[in-house]
Amino acid sequence: MAQARSRKRRIGMQIAEHATGIIASLLFLAPIVWTVLSAFKPAQESRQPPLPPWPTTGFSVENYATLNTFGDGLWLPAQNSIYVSVMTVVLSVIVSVLAGYGFSRFRFPLKNLLFVLILSTIMIPFQSILTPIFLVLTKIGLHNTLTGLVCVYVTLQLPFSIFMMRNAFDAVPREIEEAARMDGANNVTMLLRVMLPLVWPGIVTIALFAFLGAWNEFLAALVLMTDQSKFTLPIMMTALQSGRFGAIDWGAVQAGVTVMMVPCLVLFLLLQRFYIRGLMAGAVK
């Protein structure tokens, strides 16, 4: 009897856990599905009340065609966002891997103090330093340039990325490094051929964070970019939400949200197993 009750209780707990997971998944997926379906409504139907969320008069790509008529079209802001995001990922990964390896494996004066100073910048609200950033970029001639925007995004990503990579390198047993040293590996060979494959999940994690941050960032791009040809997708979405003559084209807005959302979802789904492992490796020392 006791075993039967225990088994029933265990089955009941499993059912409750699965039901909770399904409900939570549906709550998270509902806005995404709603947005994607609404983007395929005909333009006339998009201006009507949003229920039901799916097209009732047939699927249409009219909203995507309308989206391409705003400003310089869809492709130019998409190009700018791709360039800024990819360069942010590349520079963030290179700098954070080198810095993380240095903080983890080398001894130098004031190492701990320097590391704490780098981490302390996370506590500074980004909005509070926008004016100094604007003035510095203007002084060095990078204001209103995509390169200047990349520099800002990399600067914002580095404290977290360096922290993650230092912890990822700390998680690698030193015996592996000592064995490679006995085989004649120098510092460069050690990093590229021995350490990098072992901390690959951490690299994927910081790369994914950097891409998502740069792809979706709005405030810095809005403040630092005044040339319409340099606008990124989030700035274009602001123009869409402002509407023409005070009328918001909700169909085009939903299409724009879908365009911005798809790369993030695809990357996360492809790299999620590395992402989880990287978070676990970099979360603790």
Side-chain angles (χ1 to χ4, degrees):
M1 290 293 294
Q3 291 181 350
R5 282 197 297 268
S6 175
R7 182 179 180 184
K8 289 181 179 179
R9 189 181 302 112
R10 187 165 56 251
I11 294 175
M13 288 295 296
Q14 291 178 350
I15 293 175
E17 291 174 357
H18 283 81
T20 303
I22 292 173
I23 293 173
S25 300
L26 291 176
L27 290 175
F28 279 104
L29 288 175
I32 298 175
V33 175
W34 189 308
T35 299
V36 173
L37 291 177
S38 298
F40 287 101
K41 289 183 177 181
Q44 185 64 32
E45 187 179 350
S46 298
R47 301 184 182 94
Q48 298 174 1
L51 291 176
W54 54 84
T56 58
T57 58
F59 284 80
S60 172
V61 294
E62 188 176 352
N63 290 322
Y64 292 94
T66 303
L67 179 66
N68 200 39
T69 63
F70 280 85
D72 293 323
L74 176 63
W75 179 236
L76 185 59
Q79 276 185 311
N80 295 338
S81 289
I82 293 172
Y83 171 79
V84 169
S85 300
V86 171
M87 291 303 299
T88 300
V89 170
V90 171
L91 293 177
S92 297
V93 168
I94 291 175
V95 175
S96 60
V97 166
L98 294 176
Y101 184 60
F103 279 116
S104 175
R105 289 299 193 255
F106 293 94
R107 296 181 179 179
F108 51 88
L110 304 178
K111 181 180 78 169
N112 293 331
L113 177 61
L114 181 59
F115 185 71
V116 171
L117 288 176
I118 292 174
L119 285 185
S120 65
T121 60
I122 299 177
M123 298 183 291
I124 301 175
F126 166 62
Q127 296 83 355
S128 66
I129 59 174
L130 265 179
T131 300
I133 289 175
F134 179 86
L135 296 176
V136 170
L137 292 180
T138 302
K139 192 72 174 179
I140 62 179
L142 291 179
H143 168 246
N144 203 29
T145 64
L146 295 178
T147 302
L149 195 61
V150 169
C151 293
V152 173
Y153 290 167
V154 171
T155 303
L156 295 176
Q157 292 292 333
L158 280 181
F160 172 78
S161 299
I162 292 174
F163 170 74
M164 291 289 295
M165 290 312 304
R166 192 204 69 161
N167 289 350
F169 282 115
D170 282 346
V172 177
R174 290 188 177 271
E175 289 78 7
I176 296 177
E177 190 174 3
E178 293 170 358
R181 294 284 186 193
M182 294 179 63
D183 291 336
N186 55 27
N187 290 331
V188 177
T189 303
M190 178 74 65
L191 176 61
L192 297 180
R193 296 189 178 183
V194 178
M195 302 297 284
L196 282 189
L198 298 175
V199 299
W200 181 248
I203 295 175
V204 172
T205 300
I206 63 171
L208 191 57
F209 261 98
F211 180 86
L212 296 179
W215 183 264
N216 295 309
E217 204 283 328
F218 167 74
L219 185 59
L222 179 65
V223 172
L224 301 177
M225 299 289 108
T226 57
D227 186 356
Q228 187 172 343
S229 64
K230 305 292 178 60
F231 284 175
T232 55
L233 284 174
I235 308 303
M236 180 186 178
M237 290 301 301
T238 303
L240 282 174
Q241 293 177 358
S242 299
R244 292 173 174 172
F245 308 109
I248 301 177
D249 190 338
W250 291 109
V253 170
Q254 301 290 0
V257 171
T258 301
V259 169
M260 288 192 61
M261 183 171 52
V262 167
C264 300
L265 289 175
V266 171
L267 280 177
F268 183 80
L269 292 175
L270 290 176
L271 302 175
Q272 61 176 328
R273 61 191 183 98
F274 297 105
Y275 174 76
I276 300 299
R277 288 167 54 193
L279 279 182
M280 296 299 294
V284 294
K285 184 174 179 180

